[in-house]
Amino acid sequence: MSSTSQTVIPHHIAIVMDGNGRWATRRFLPRLAGHRQGVESLRRCVRACVARGVGVLTVFAFSSENWNRPADEVSGLMDLLAKALAREVPQLSRDGVRLHFVGEKSGLSDKVRDGLRQAEAATAGNGRLVLNVCFNYGGRWDIAQAAAALAARGEPITESSLHAAMGMAHVPDPDLLIRTGGEKRISNFLLWQAAYTELYFSDRLWPDFDEAALDEAIADYAARERRFGRTSEQLQAAPPDSLRA
């Protein structure tokens, strides 16, 4: 990346990591092999984001709708998560990455929940990159659980209170949302938070999404004018810190 492009690196990148199963099927491999390769791609992406100065990376690892997939694939994904945590957390900690797991945890096994808690605790002191892993997550679930929490506390439901009760309240909204795999939809991901997010769709399947592909997405983002409802003339006159929705 050039020194000029460094000034327009998105602070928060979100990714729908789509195409693992198709990647495996095209190679006559079981779908789980694609998910394993997807973990390797995520490892590359995390390190690339750290190197490029991205502050927050949020990935859609397992949606609330994914429970409808074949039972052996779901079981394999849970096992893959447990093994990936045990293997990756020490290196993530050395790289300064702080883990957050966002999603409904009550539907997970005790083993998986314990693994998530331990990973968050082991990386809690890191500040170079926040890595949000959305697991058993859905955008509609996030809005509903936030509203329910406010109602249970007897608090008024406003835009600001609802935002503060959501699973992503600890980070600013995404600047750039990338979806791989050729599909052009966000599939119930960050519905509230993506209100003013720039969308980028890649035909590459997630296991093939490398550092060069990430740089292409960032370059596309850098060329856009983010107006947040304003006009171009207003943007030119406004202080940079005021340009938010």
Side-chain angles (χ1 to χ4, degrees):
M1 304 291 289
S2 69
S3 59
T4 301
S5 64
Q6 290 290 345
T7 63
V8 288
I9 294 292
H11 175 71
H12 183 175
I13 296 177
I15 304 178
V16 179
M17 306 180 295
D18 192 24
N20 292 329
R22 280 175 286 158
W23 183 92
T25 299
R26 290 176 185 179
R27 288 160 177 78
F28 304 101
L29 298 170
R31 287 177 59 86
L32 197 58
H35 293 299
R36 292 193 188 97
Q37 193 62 35
V39 172
E40 298 299 318
S41 187
L42 178 56
R43 179 188 294 117
R44 292 197 308 266
C45 187
V46 169
R47 291 181 178 175
C49 285
V50 170
R52 285 150 181 74
V54 174
V56 183
L57 175 63
T58 299
V59 297
F60 206 3
F62 188 87
S63 78
S64 49
E65 289 80 18
N66 286 157
W67 291 106
N68 296 320
R69 292 190 174 187
D72 57 342
E73 182 176 352
V74 172
S75 176
L77 282 168
M78 294 298 166
D79 186 58
L80 182 61
L81 172 66
K83 291 179 178 177
L85 287 174
R87 184 177 67 247
E88 301 296 334
V89 166
Q91 184 60 53
L92 288 172
S93 193
R94 287 191 292 270
D95 291 340
V97 178
R98 180 174 186 175
L99 273 165
H100 282 273
F101 292 93
V102 183
E104 177 56 68
K105 297 182 176 65
S106 63
L108 305 177
S109 69
D110 290 343
K111 178 182 178 181
V112 170
R113 284 201 302 270
D114 288 344
L116 303 188
R117 282 195 294 266
Q118 291 170 13
E120 288 181 335
T123 61
N126 299 331
R128 197 170 182 188
L129 174 75
V130 175
L131 175 57
N132 298 307
V133 179
C134 292
F135 197 85
N136 198 23
Y137 171 89
R140 291 177 176 177
W141 163 85
D142 198 8
I143 296 169
Q145 67 82 26
L150 292 173
R153 297 197 295 263
E155 298 179 18
I157 297 177
T158 65
E159 285 194 20
S160 59
S161 67
L162 199 60
H163 184 86
M166 289 190 180
M168 298 284 291
H170 59 287
V171 293
D173 291 344
D175 299 295
L176 172 64
L177 190 156
I178 300 168
R179 181 176 183 141
T180 63
E183 305 290 354
K184 294 178 173 62
R185 57 180 180 271
I186 59 175
S187 295
N188 199 21
F189 184 46
L190 304 180
L191 296 183
W192 178 276
Q193 297 84 355
Y196 280 92
T197 298
E198 298 295 321
L199 306 180
Y200 179 88
F201 300 102
S202 171
D203 288 333
R204 296 197 191 200
L205 302 178
W206 174 244
D208 295 326
F209 194 85
D210 56 13
E211 295 86 348
L214 177 66
D215 287 341
E216 289 173 9
I218 291 174
D220 185 88
Y221 165 87
R224 302 186 189 185
E225 181 182 68
R226 305 188 72 201
R227 293 191 296 273
F228 297 101
R230 300 170 175 84
T231 66
S232 296
E233 292 74 18
Q234 286 176 307
L235 291 186
Q236 294 169 11
D241 290 344
S242 69
L243 302 181
R244 289 292 182 268

